[in-house]
Amino acid sequence: VQPAMTVHPNPKRVVVRGGGEGATLREALFHDTVEEAVMIDIDEELVKMAEEHMPEWHAGAFTDPRTTMRYEDARGWLVANEGKNWDVVLSDLPNPHEDGPGQMLFTKEYFEIAHRALAEDGVFAMQAGSASENYPDCMLSCIKTLKEVFPYVYGYYGIVNTFFQPWGFVIASKTYDPMALTREEIDARHAARGVKPKY
């Protein structure tokens, strides 16, 4: 979340796809530049359970006045909202297991849909499965496929203790090269937006 939000110089309109427990939405809303955030999750029951029983995860993000909640298919919603010029699209969806609900959200066609939904300087980021050298297939496929759609694509990982392995993410940008940002620029953007990264 934070790399994509930080790479964009002024992220005002954000889409979160999936992310049922609300943590992805929470992290996006830390940026005070955000004026509108739409979270689309197909599982309303899960979101309501998280809202009631996991307040430390969402930290009130579901009821933030900038947030609109949608309980429907993320792909279908994004198709219906192509050309709406979103600044950032964040994808926190289940891995593309064969015949699973996330299978069609990791394809070139889907990444092209996301590309068309973004503004000309839009940024896309996704969770991409394990970053372990023993199980790299999902992440490597995501990087390779996104490179067919976006000019700037980079993989990165974080240590997710509950997964017992490094977890992979991919950032893709239409205009901005994430690697061109200096440490000083990153710190300045966070300070200006009131963001205090914990990780």
Side-chain angles (χ1 to χ4, degrees):
V1 176
Q2 293 303 344
M5 294 298 295
T6 303
V7 164
H8 197 287
N10 191 25
K12 293 182 178 181
R13 306 180 70 234
V14 180
V15 176
V16 176
R17 295 164 30 270
E21 81 294 320
T24 299
L25 177 63
R26 176 199 73 211
E27 292 292 311
L29 291 173
F30 280 157
H31 293 254
D32 64 13
T33 56
V34 175
E35 298 174 356
E36 178 183 7
V38 179
M39 177 174 155
I40 308 106
D41 197 295
I42 202 167
D43 192 342
E44 183 175 3
E45 186 176 348
L46 169 66
V47 174
K48 295 300 184 187
M49 184 278 298
E51 185 172 14
E52 181 178 354
H53 299 290
M54 301 171 69
E56 68 280 6
W57 285 71
H58 60 79
F62 297 133
T63 56
D64 188 291
R66 297 170 290 174
T67 298
T68 300
M69 298 296 299
R70 305 285 304 193
Y71 302 106
E72 58 188 278
D73 172 64
R75 181 184 173 111
W77 187 91
L78 210 56
V79 168
N81 285 273
E82 287 183 18
K84 293 292 180 73
N85 295 320
W86 299 97
D87 296 316
V88 179
V89 172
L90 302 169
S91 185
D92 186 7
L93 298 162
N95 281 6
H97 300 295
E98 189 173 349
D99 297 325
Q103 188 176 17
M104 298 309 292
L105 301 171
F106 288 76
T107 63
K108 180 181 179 184
E109 180 188 23
Y110 172 71
F111 296 148
E112 289 171 339
I113 292 168
H115 188 279
R116 291 193 296 270
L118 286 163
E120 285 307 307
D121 63 348
V123 180
F124 174 85
M126 66 181 297
Q127 81 82 15
S130 173
S132 167
E133 62 184 17
N134 297 316
Y135 311 102
D137 295 347
C138 182
M139 184 177 180
L140 292 176
S141 294
C142 291
I143 292 170
K144 180 180 178 183
T145 306
L146 279 164
K147 283 184 174 181
E148 297 178 28
V149 180
F150 288 85
Y152 300 104
V153 178
Y154 297 98
Y156 59 102
Y157 73 92
I159 302 300
V160 180
N161 293 333
T162 53
F163 294 170
F164 303 105
Q165 59 184 307
W167 207 251
F169 304 90
V170 184
I171 185 170
S173 175
K174 294 174 90 170
T175 303
Y176 308 112
D177 182 353
M179 298 303 287
L181 273 180
T182 66
R183 176 79 258 173
E184 292 73 23
E185 288 172 314
I186 292 169
D187 290 344
R189 287 184 184 186
H190 287 168
R193 299 175 192 180
V195 175
K196 298 177 181 176
K198 296 178 181 178
Y199 182 77

